[in-house]
Amino acid sequence: MRRLLAIALLGGLAPAAAAAPPLLVDRVVAVVNKEVITLTELAEGTALAEEQLRRQRIAAPPRPVLERQVLERLVLDKAQLQMASETGLRVDELQLDSAVQRIAENNKLTLAEFRRRLEQDGVAFERFRGEVRQQILLQRLREREVNARVNVSE
């Protein structure tokens, strides 16, 4: 009897679910090799860029121009992060902790104060750490690529 009731309930829900309009969750705006950049990532990057420009009291370009610039940066960063991964570049936890500690000190804050400040600004501490890790990886990749091309002659 319970089985019949469950089937009847599920059967009754199926037509309602089928009739509901599709809900757009996210959209792909670019593909870098086999990884995608979503509309959500682009919107977050654009909002971050606008906030940084506002804090520096710099007029932001028109939104479509800014979105294009942010998308170009996201594509370049993703391609470089892929290259760093493929070549085995890594940032260990100790290096990451040291970098985050230096950032806090440069802001004249303890690590705990810095973490609270990030949270107050709506930035999750672990997300911030992830972004710092990516920046370190990108810096190391660029340094390695430049050093490989530099030829000093006497």
Side-chain angles (χ1 to χ4, degrees):
M1 183 67 162
R2 284 187 184 170
R3 190 171 179 192
L4 274 176
L5 181 59
I7 291 172
L9 287 175
L10 289 176
L13 293 177
L23 175 65
L24 179 63
V25 177
D26 212 343
R27 180 173 72 119
V28 174
V29 293
V31 178
V32 182
N33 296 322
K34 293 183 180 179
E35 292 185 50
V36 298
I37 296 172
T38 64
L39 184 60
T40 299
E41 290 174 286
L42 178 59
E44 289 172 355
T46 302
L48 181 62
E50 287 174 329
E51 178 63 23
Q52 289 172 340
L53 290 170
R54 187 186 62 74
R55 285 184 180 178
Q56 296 172 1
R57 294 184 173 91
I58 298 173
R63 183 127 180 131
V65 172
L66 184 60
E67 285 177 344
R68 183 73 185 158
Q69 292 170 344
V70 169
L71 181 59
E72 288 172 4
R73 169 57 47 195
L74 289 171
V75 168
L76 182 60
D77 285 353
K78 192 160 295 263
Q80 290 176 341
L81 287 168
Q82 290 171 2
M83 183 180 217
S85 177
E86 290 168 4
T87 59
L89 283 177
R90 302 277 182 264
V91 177
D92 65 40
E93 290 301 309
L94 185 60
Q95 294 166 329
L96 181 58
D97 291 342
S98 295
V100 172
Q101 181 67 43
R102 276 193 310 275
I103 293 169
E105 289 170 358
N106 288 343
N107 285 283
K108 296 177 179 38
L109 298 169
T110 66
L111 187 58
E113 292 169 335
F114 184 67
R115 185 177 189 147
R116 275 193 303 278
R117 182 79 51 90
L118 284 171
E119 299 289 341
Q120 287 171 350
D121 289 344
V123 179
F125 187 68
E126 287 308 312
R127 182 173 181 159
F128 177 78
R129 283 176 52 87
E131 290 173 7
V132 171
R133 182 186 304 273
Q134 286 182 351
Q135 292 305 312
I136 293 170
L137 279 172
L138 292 173
Q139 180 181 354
R140 287 183 181 171
L141 178 68
R142 291 174 188 137
E143 288 171 356
R144 190 185 70 198
E145 291 300 310
V146 168
N147 289 341
R149 289 174 175 37
V150 172
N151 184 12
V152 179
S153 61
E154 294 182 30

